[in-house]
Amino acid sequence: MTSITTTQDAVASGVYAYSLEEVATTQTIWMLFVLGATLLLGLFSVEAFFTLSFVGLLAVTQLYHPTGESPGWWRWLRLLTGVCFLVFGYVVYRQVLSVI
């Protein structure tokens, strides 16, 4: 059995796992886009920025989900996502209270 030596070979064989750097870069680009768009449209608020960044995090975790064995850093990313769910729940709770 030959070892996988290049990224192209790894992708072709279906065992390629994305690196933390790739995931973090994608999330950072998304957050910068959200920041620029909300500032440009005059809609910036901390709640809106967090919510849109969180939606991006959910999309990134789905796009980069490992197909094989999860790398060690993936557990921390899932923990971060869980904490963000709690903060998102609090943001929604505050919005509901402001309507009532």
Side-chain angles (χ1 to χ4, degrees):
M1 178 174 230
T2 61
S3 64
I4 298 172
T5 56
T6 67
T7 303
Q8 288 179 336
D9 291 340
V11 171
S13 67
V15 295
Y16 180 73
Y18 294 100
S19 69
L20 176 60
E21 182 180 314
E22 291 171 306
V23 174
T25 301
T26 304
Q27 181 64 26
T28 301
I29 291 169
W30 172 255
M31 291 175 74
L32 290 172
F33 172 76
V34 166
L35 181 64
T38 54
L39 287 173
L40 184 66
L41 296 171
L43 300 172
F44 180 80
S45 70
V46 175
E47 290 88 1
F49 179 72
F50 171 78
T51 302
L52 293 171
S53 296
F54 178 54
V55 168
L57 178 64
L58 292 175
V60 166
T61 55
Q62 288 301 311
L63 289 172
Y64 290 101
H65 190 274
T67 55
E69 186 176 332
S70 297
W73 56 266
W74 190 258
R75 178 176 165 213
W76 292 105
L77 184 63
R78 290 185 60 208
L79 179 65
L80 174 66
T81 305
V83 170
C84 288
F85 262 116
L86 293 175
V87 174
F88 179 70
Y90 177 72
V91 169
V92 170
Y93 172 75
R94 284 190 43 183
Q95 290 295 324
V96 168
L97 284 183
S98 70
V99 171
I100 294 178

